[in-house]
Amino acid sequence: MFEHVNLEYDYSNNGFPDAEVTKNLVTGYDQSVNVTTYTAKFDNHVVTMLVYSTGLVFFADVYPGRTVIRTNREFKPGDDGNLHLVDA
């Protein structure tokens, strides 16, 4: 397991009460990539961390009205309106 992961890329939606995250983050991975999910549920929010076998780490902290999303790799907008993982 990772001792430290730098989640430097921020795709959070913190600015507006009751706002929705409207863009999807697309990894482009197929079924051959393993994903381990860690989830913690609290009274007012849910924290999820997805760890991909490729090394991608995706962290989400979902509150009513806002979502904090951070990753250790960059996503960029595609023509389809989604954010796609940039290959390292």
Side-chain angles (χ1 to χ4, degrees):
M1 193 60 193
F2 302 101
E3 289 184 19
H4 175 77
V5 177
N6 186 7
L7 300 175
E8 63 183 304
Y9 299 100
D10 187 356
Y11 302 97
S12 302
N13 184 4
N14 295 316
F16 305 98
D18 301 321
E20 294 181 13
V21 175
T22 57
K23 293 204 179 276
N24 294 316
L25 275 69
V26 180
T27 65
Y29 297 144
D30 61 21
Q31 297 297 322
S32 67
V33 173
N34 294 323
V35 183
T36 303
T37 303
Y38 302 91
T39 303
K41 295 181 182 179
F42 301 94
D43 289 342
N44 66 340
H45 66 114
V46 177
V47 177
T48 303
M49 187 169 67
L50 305 171
V51 180
Y52 292 77
S53 59
T54 59
L56 173 66
V57 177
F58 180 96
F59 171 87
D61 194 354
V62 180
Y63 292 85
R66 73 181 175 112
T67 302
V68 176
I69 299 171
R70 292 195 170 86
T71 69
N72 65 332
R73 293 193 183 163
E74 185 179 13
F75 287 76
K76 287 190 177 178
D79 294 337
D80 58 2
N82 295 320
L83 294 171
H84 292 267
L85 179 65
V86 176
D87 290 331

